[in-house]
Amino acid sequence: MSVEATELQDRISRCAKSLTARLREIRRYLHQRPELSEREYATTEFLANLISDLGLTPNFAGDRRGVWADVDAKRGEHHIRVAIRGDIDALPIQTQLSTTYASGVDNAMHACGHDAHATMAWGALAILNELIGEQILPSGFAARVIFQPAEETSTGGRHMIQAGALDGIGAAIALHVDPSRPVGSFGYRDGAFTAGCDTFHLRVIGQPGHSARPHLTGDTIGAASSWVTDIYRRLPRNEDAREAVVVNVGQFTAGNAPNIVPGEVHLGGTVRTLSRESGERARQQMKRITEALELSHPVEAMLNFSTHTPPVFNDSGVNLAFRRAAIALVGDSNVRIIEQPSMGAEDFSFFASVVPAAMMRIGVTGSDVGAQPLHTPTFDIDESVLEHGAAVLALAAIELSTKAIL
């Protein structure tokens, strides 16, 4: 490692440390004022003002939901522009935190750490902007920090892409908080990182009637129950055992009285896989099971797939630079491989489908706070994580853009 690289890493660490109070302030502001997916107008304006305060230009996505800003060394020709992504939407969860910064909005809470993601992305932007002002970044450096809405509904990634947020981008990186890891540590994995997820809805229609005479009805609940049993049994058996398929029916709605056979049943759920190919096979198998249901029961069955989120595949080259940046700043012992991919979905996958990309997990569990699971009303973080995340994102962007640091 060169003297110049060591000096740059030290400067990034000092800059991140100097932002500690400001990072905590921003994160707490966002945590107190969560906005649900598709409604992130005030959050976008707040972040746009933070961008402007740095002397940079905010670029708004459509409907002024989501914003990004560019930082450039403006010396020499650009190599590649690297995108740093932070998501900004909250979840429809009623907080149970009793902290001074707990959510002040009913049934809305940053229970997945998006407030921290946005804060760390802003921190990286502030660090990079400071280094550019000091003229110590390599020539050709270029980055873009993207604040993305609607991750939880898997519509925000496409929303930002359509707005042009990835135009001219050569690589993208992102962090996700992880309460299973100690604060300041990182987890990495090449290839499959998170699962793809399809949301499905099944409508079963049949002749309604009296529960004493089910033979005169469509027996819609019996038919729908048979469908659930079939997909639970046949989907995993239809796939190579080494290819994970996780299907879940989370909604089953029918009837309004115990002595009636209802005329309609509605089901909703998700199917998750680790490759596009296995996802397509699962969808085709579910369609065949639905067609067979109509042959074996006197019902009409309609299966529809709505939200689709592809798997996140971490590019090995981008992931290597990302990991090296983390090792340089927090040490090799604090950067560990993730042995198995997550079956959760993440719409950073839309960015990763367009440009080489990588996501790492960052630990948020301290001695007193941070161990609560994601998507729960008691989720919180050890805020010392913010400076670590901001610094690693900044250094990784420099490495990826210039290929001349680590």
Side-chain angles (χ1 to χ4, degrees):
M1 186 180 294
S2 67
V3 173
E4 293 81 3
T6 302
E7 290 177 349
L8 180 59
Q9 292 160 25
D10 290 344
R11 180 68 189 99
I12 289 174
S13 294
R14 293 196 303 273
C15 193
K17 180 67 71 175
S18 72
L19 290 170
T20 297
R22 184 60 172 145
L23 291 169
R24 183 182 297 112
E25 180 182 85
I26 291 170
R27 184 260 168 170
R28 292 187 176 191
Y29 182 95
L30 293 171
H31 196 85
Q32 288 179 301
R33 299 164 178 82
E35 292 183 301
L36 300 179
S37 306
E38 325 290 342
R39 308 178 193 175
E40 309 93 333
Y41 301 105
T43 302
T44 296
E45 289 296 331
F46 173 72
L47 293 166
N49 289 333
L50 292 180
I51 291 170
S52 297
D53 289 344
L54 294 174
L56 301 172
T57 301
N59 300 278
F60 290 94
D63 201 25
R64 294 179 78 89
R65 287 189 307 108
V67 63
W68 70 87
D70 289 340
V71 281
D72 302 81
K74 297 180 180 177
R75 301 191 314 279
E77 293 185 4
H78 288 160
H79 297 283
I80 64 170
R81 185 179 297 278
V82 179
I84 298 171
R85 178 271 215 170
D87 40 10
I88 65 176
D89 54 327
L91 285 160
I93 293 175
Q94 182 62 44
T95 186
Q96 292 180 11
L97 293 179
S98 57
T99 59
T100 58
Y101 52 84
S103 171
V105 181
D106 287 341
N107 199 39
M109 178 189 176
H110 277 291
C112 197
H114 296 187
D115 53 340
H117 300 165
T119 300
M120 291 186 289
W122 177 86
L125 182 66
I127 292 169
L128 294 170
N129 193 52
E130 178 71 19
L131 298 180
I132 286 172
E134 296 173 1
Q135 297 188 341
I136 62 174
L137 286 187
S139 62
F141 170 76
R144 175 174 298 163
V145 175
I146 302 171
F147 299 98
Q148 179 212 301
E151 189 281 327
E152 295 293 350
T153 56
S154 291
T155 59
R158 288 172 295 178
H159 173 76
M160 297 304 289
I161 292 169
Q162 291 167 1
L166 288 190
D167 291 356
I169 295 298
I173 55 176
L175 289 172
H176 199 296
V177 296
D178 186 347
S180 73
R181 299 177 185 276
V183 65
S185 66
F186 292 80
Y188 70 92
R189 177 180 173 78
D190 284 342
F193 190 73
T194 64
C197 179
D198 286 289
T199 300
F200 62 82
H201 300 272
L202 178 73
R203 183 185 181 196
V204 179
I205 302 174
Q207 177 65 40
H210 199 291
S211 64
R213 293 174 287 277
H215 61 289
L216 300 178
T217 74
D219 191 19
T220 50
I221 289 180
S225 299
S226 173
W227 186 89
V228 173
T229 300
D230 281 347
I231 64 164
Y232 279 3
R233 176 177 58 86
R234 292 173 59 185
L235 256 63
R237 300 289 290 181
N238 193 58
E239 190 62 64
D240 188 320
R242 295 166 294 183
E243 293 282 342
V245 177
V246 178
V247 61
N248 180 70
V249 176
Q251 296 172 306
F252 195 122
T253 305
N256 53 21
N259 62 342
I260 295 174
V261 175
E264 288 195 25
V265 176
H266 296 266
L267 304 181
T270 58
V271 57
R272 301 169 186 270
T273 60
L274 291 173
S275 72
R276 293 177 178 84
E277 294 76 17
S278 58
E280 178 59 27
R281 286 194 295 270
R283 289 188 292 271
Q284 292 303 319
Q285 179 72 355
M286 292 174 71
K287 290 176 182 177
R288 288 192 292 270
I289 292 171
T290 303
E291 293 168 357
L293 186 71
E294 293 184 323
L295 297 175
S296 59
H297 293 78
V299 297
E300 181 181 2
M302 291 155 283
L303 175 66
N304 294 298
F305 293 92
S306 53
T307 305
H308 170 68
T309 308
V312 171
F313 283 92
N314 280 343
D315 177 84
S316 59
V318 176
N319 209 29
L320 176 61
F322 207 177
R323 181 169 79 250
R324 289 168 67 184
I327 291 171
L329 291 169
V330 302
D332 185 71
S333 62
N334 289 314
V335 183
R336 287 285 178 258
I337 191 170
I338 299 172
E339 296 291 346
Q340 297 292 335
S342 168
M343 294 309 293
E346 163 62 62
D347 95 337
F348 184 63
S349 58
F350 290 103
F351 282 25
S353 297
V354 176
V355 298
M359 172 177 277
M360 286 204 303
R361 300 202 182 277
I362 182 169
V364 296
T365 299
S367 57
D368 300 316
V369 66
Q372 305 86 352
L374 297 170
H375 288 222
T376 66
T378 56
F379 176 77
D380 202 356
I381 66 168
D382 183 319
E383 290 175 318
S384 64
V385 69
L386 300 172
E387 64 185 74
H388 295 297
V392 169
L393 287 169
L395 183 57
I398 296 168
E399 162 70 357
L400 284 163
S401 178
T402 64
K403 302 291 186 182
I405 303 303
L406 298 176

